[in-house]
Amino acid sequence: MAAAKKAVLGPLVGAVDQGTSSTRFLVFNSKTAELLSHHQVEIKQEFPREGWVEQDPKEILQSVYECIEKTCEKLGQLNIDISNIKAIGVSNQRETTVVWDKLTGEPLYNAVVWLDLRTQSTVENLSKRIPGNNNFVKSKTGLPLSTYFSAVKLRWLLDNVRKVQRAVEEDRALFGTIDSWLIWSLTGGANGGVHCTDVTNASRTMLFNIHSLEWDKELCEFFEIPMKILPNVRSSSEIYGLMKISHSLKAGALEGVPISGCLGDQSAALVGQMCFQDGQAKNTYGTGCFLLCNTGRKCVFSEHGLLTTVAYKLGRDKPVYYALEGSVAIAGAVIRWLRDNLGIIKTSEEIEKLAKEVGTSYGCYFVPAFSGLYAPYWEPSARGIICGLTQFTNKCHIAFAALEAVCFQTREILDAMNRDCGIPLSHLQVDGGMTNNKILMQLQADILYIPVVKPSMPETTALGAAMAAGAAEGVGVWSLEPEDLSAVTMERFEPQINAEESEIRYSTWKKAVMKSVGWVTTQSSESGDPSIFCSLPLGFFIVSSMVMLIGARYISGIP
């Protein structure tokens, strides 16, 4: 007997969520915000030299096609007509830098990922050219000069990759963050693809004036970036172009569907968490950890190491909103590191089981400063350490310490944000893949000593991109009026330890952080010289002592 047809669901909206670790395509009901189906593909990261992090732009694009195709197949199995998909939004890992040939559509080099450290000496050289009493870069962009942002990555590519230099000379080169690469490719690529970005992604390049909302001539001259290779800057919610499906994709029904939403992943999560009021904040737990607080239509400049960034601009004629942001480089990436580098877990989900076995780190502290420390320190000389080890320490304690590290880093950012905003947050809204870990969420409530509130549907990054796409002028299937937004069911985690214990753990963590600083004494990341022992991740001697400890336990027959 044929499966019964499902009731008509009304307009649907798709969202590409292209993150550092994985790509997803998700489809939502625009009237109820219900997630109907999705597909996910893990993305490879390449580490060609110490401190370098790259990805293949073609693999990223192919993963998008695969996720769209598989999600459309799943919708078909649910008897949901994919012709009901009326718009597509894009959210993306920010700052990751791609340069490609506009005539062939071929990338001219791997994507240089936001975590990459090769530009440290570029940053140091540029810093010397900024007058001490006039940091025009920070006042225009809201960002400190750091390896994190796109301008220095692009500068490195222009200095070091002959194919990029030649393409710029011959007027064939286009630059973009991942959103630009995807939108250009999905709207036709070399055959008429649209070269654009939105204000949230532009605000992370260090070339964009967050006050005038334009590429800044003075900044481009400072970084020596040719403006002709930059994408057009648009709002976060408007029709950029129509899908032109690759011949390799079976999901032909999406041909002609408008791509009409674009937000950097953290801005998308802010929209998906419906933080539309001044003072509302969310924390996303992904590869890194990002706490954003909506500051409304005014730029608030931090005195405590936070970034000032564009939160969203939901329409060409709509006002721009700003946010304060605290960025942690390594959150979920520490779990992946325990899996892929140390091999103490086989899947990322196992971390919760290991941590649950012991329920404490037993005095072990983990500072995962693999890419230096971001907010609030901005300390590129830091490297990861595990300290407080004893003969009693085992892999369960290290797993627990890794989870605690994510929570401590969030606490440092929240403290900075409370000082900048003057009104302490009464609770923290959270989202992202790691929030499925109940131990982590309880630890976070304990360490912050305020409730942690998690939506029942944690895919808020994709939801934000879908909302922006569905609400765009010319699409109009998603209302962003407060009375029309679907109520979201929440799970609450209340603090379960006393404040004094929370403070003791936090102060010990800060002591560990201080020990992680200053490991790298000679910057060699641009030459790729791996010989300087003190720049080895996790401090060579600490890993050595762990290996000796494990060996001693094995020899003595201790399990």
Side-chain angles (χ1 to χ4, degrees):
M1 186 176 158
K5 285 274 182 193
K6 286 211 166 191
V8 176
L9 294 159
L12 311 179
V13 179
V16 173
D17 180 5
Q18 204 299 299
T20 318
S21 303
S22 69
T23 299
R24 283 166 307 175
F25 185 68
L26 307 92
V27 175
F28 297 90
N29 180 333
S30 67
K31 299 303 176 198
T32 63
E34 178 193 359
L35 174 60
L36 300 175
S37 189
H38 76 285
H39 188 77
Q40 177 169 342
V41 172
E42 193 167 303
I43 296 289
K44 285 200 285 290
Q45 293 178 42
E46 298 173 27
F47 306 97
R49 296 186 186 179
E50 174 65 28
W52 293 30
V53 191
E54 298 179 1
Q55 290 178 321
D56 178 354
K58 290 173 81 171
E59 184 198 342
I60 289 173
L61 179 60
Q62 193 52 46
S63 72
V64 170
Y65 285 137
E66 183 181 337
C67 287
I68 291 174
E69 186 172 318
K70 291 282 196 280
T71 303
C72 288
E73 284 175 11
K74 290 175 183 178
L75 289 170
Q77 289 160 11
L78 294 168
N79 293 318
I80 296 171
D81 188 347
I82 58 175
S83 68
N84 281 332
I85 298 173
K86 303 302 181 191
I88 290 168
V90 174
S91 92
N92 57 287
Q93 52 170 311
R94 305 167 302 168
E95 300 95 17
T96 296
T97 298
V98 188
V99 181
W100 66 95
D101 187 319
K102 67 183 177 186
L103 301 182
T104 65
E106 289 294 309
L108 296 166
Y109 192 79
N110 269 347
V112 181
V113 176
W114 56 277
L115 284 163
D116 189 280
L117 289 175
R118 76 186 67 186
T119 53
Q120 187 50 42
S121 65
T122 307
V123 168
E124 287 166 6
N125 293 333
L126 288 165
S127 298
K128 291 169 190 164
R129 292 171 42 203
I130 297 177
N133 59 348
N134 174 26
N135 189 342
F136 69 95
V137 174
K138 188 162 188 186
S139 63
K140 287 181 180 225
T141 66
L143 310 173
L145 196 54
S146 164
T147 58
Y148 183 14
F149 307 106
S150 309
V152 289
K153 301 178 193 301
L154 181 51
R155 182 68 259 146
W156 186 91
L157 290 168
L158 290 166
D159 287 339
N160 292 280
V161 182
R162 184 66 193 122
K163 280 172 76 176
V164 171
Q165 294 163 354
R166 196 176 297 121
V168 170
E169 289 160 10
E170 296 171 5
D171 199 23
R172 291 183 287 110
L174 296 178
F175 152 79
T177 42
I178 294 295
D179 56 306
S180 299
W181 164 243
L182 292 180
I183 292 172
W184 184 83
S185 300
L186 293 171
T187 55
N191 299 312
V194 177
H195 188 217
C196 70
T197 189
D198 90 301
V199 288
T200 67
N201 281 296
S203 78
R204 313 298 291 197
T205 60
M206 223 173 214
L207 301 169
F208 185 72
N209 188 313
I210 61 174
H211 310 286
S212 66
L213 302 183
E214 294 173 331
W215 298 122
D216 190 283
K217 192 166 182 288
E218 185 185 12
L219 290 169
C220 288
E221 285 171 358
F222 176 71
F223 289 104
E224 299 178 79
I225 303 293
M227 294 183 81
K228 64 184 180 180
I229 70 174
L230 303 178
N232 293 316
V233 183
R234 313 275 283 271
S235 78
S236 310
S237 177
E238 60 178 272
I239 295 175
Y240 313 112
L242 306 181
M243 286 281 281
K244 287 186 183 169
I245 297 300
S246 151
H247 61 84
S248 64
L249 198 67
K250 297 171 196 150
L254 297 191
E255 181 88 33
V257 174
I259 299 177
S260 53
C262 178
L263 291 147
D265 51 10
Q266 304 314 318
S267 287
L270 195 74
V271 170
Q273 285 265 30
M274 299 174 205
C275 295
F276 294 127
Q277 305 298 315
D278 285 22
Q280 285 187 303
K282 67 88 208 168
N283 196 31
T284 299
Y285 298 77
T287 298
C289 218
F290 303 90
L291 205 163
L292 266 70
C293 181
N294 188 331
T295 62
R297 292 165 69 173
K298 60 183 182 297
C299 280
V300 174
F301 281 86
S302 172
E303 294 178 11
H304 300 97
L306 304 180
L307 311 177
T308 303
T309 198
V310 174
Y312 51 80
K313 185 180 190 292
L314 294 174
R316 262 182 297 202
D317 304 321
K318 295 288 168 62
V320 64
Y321 282 76
Y322 295 94
L324 272 176
E325 173 175 337
S327 315
V328 168
I330 304 293
V334 76
I335 313 304
R336 191 166 173 163
W337 184 86
L338 290 174
R339 184 192 73 185
D340 297 347
N341 292 36
L342 281 198
I344 68 171
I345 51 174
K346 287 193 172 63
T347 67
S348 297
E349 292 70 35
E350 279 179 48
I351 191 92
E352 186 171 7
K353 183 167 161 281
L354 284 188
K356 195 173 186 178
E357 276 183 41
V358 284
T360 173
S361 67
Y362 202 76
C364 172
Y365 286 82
F366 193 157
V367 182
F370 301 158
S371 297
L373 290 167
Y374 284 11
Y377 300 98
W378 298 104
E379 183 48 76
S381 73
R383 284 296 177 273
I385 64 167
I386 301 175
C387 54
L389 298 173
T390 71
Q391 278 194 303
F392 184 71
T393 309
N394 63 30
K395 64 181 182 180
C396 298
H397 298 119
I398 291 170
F400 196 97
L403 295 182
E404 269 194 322
V406 175
C407 301
F408 286 131
Q409 290 179 105
T410 299
R411 166 79 188 265
E412 291 190 298
I413 288 172
L414 193 72
D415 284 357
M417 202 160 274
N418 286 340
R419 288 198 293 273
D420 277 325
C421 296
I423 306 164
L425 289 179
S426 59
H427 66 276
L428 182 65
Q429 289 176 230
V430 300
D431 58 75
M434 289 186 84
T435 62
N436 292 325
N437 186 322
K438 289 192 177 347
I439 299 252
L440 178 73
M441 292 295 93
Q442 186 56 56
L443 267 176
Q444 189 67 88
D446 290 345
I447 287 164
L448 297 180
Y449 211 66
I450 57 173
V452 166
V453 181
K454 175 195 161 189
S456 56
M457 199 284 292
E459 301 291 354
T460 50
T461 301
L463 177 60
M467 289 164 68
E473 187 180 343
V475 179
V477 299
W478 204 308
S479 170
L480 298 182
E481 295 302 320
E483 63 272 14
D484 295 330
L485 292 171
S486 303
V488 180
T489 54
M490 298 284 191
E491 185 177 1
R492 272 176 88 87
F493 295 85
E494 300 283 348
Q496 290 181 356
I497 64 172
N498 64 49
E500 189 183 358
E501 187 186 339
S502 181
E503 288 306 316
I504 291 168
R505 281 157 70 172
Y506 183 45
S507 63
T508 312
W509 154 263
K510 283 177 121 32
K511 201 163 104 182
V513 170
M514 289 303 103
K515 292 185 186 303
S516 78
V517 172
W519 277 95
V520 180
T521 53
T522 305
Q523 283 304 336
S524 61
S525 55
E526 294 215 12
S527 66
D529 177 7
S531 64
I532 295 169
F533 71 89
C534 62
S535 70
L536 286 171
L538 278 177
F540 177 78
F541 294 123
I542 289 167
V543 172
S544 299
S545 60
M546 281 173 62
V547 171
M548 286 190 287
L549 175 64
I550 293 163
R553 288 167 64 84
Y554 179 75
I555 291 162
S556 61
I558 300 170

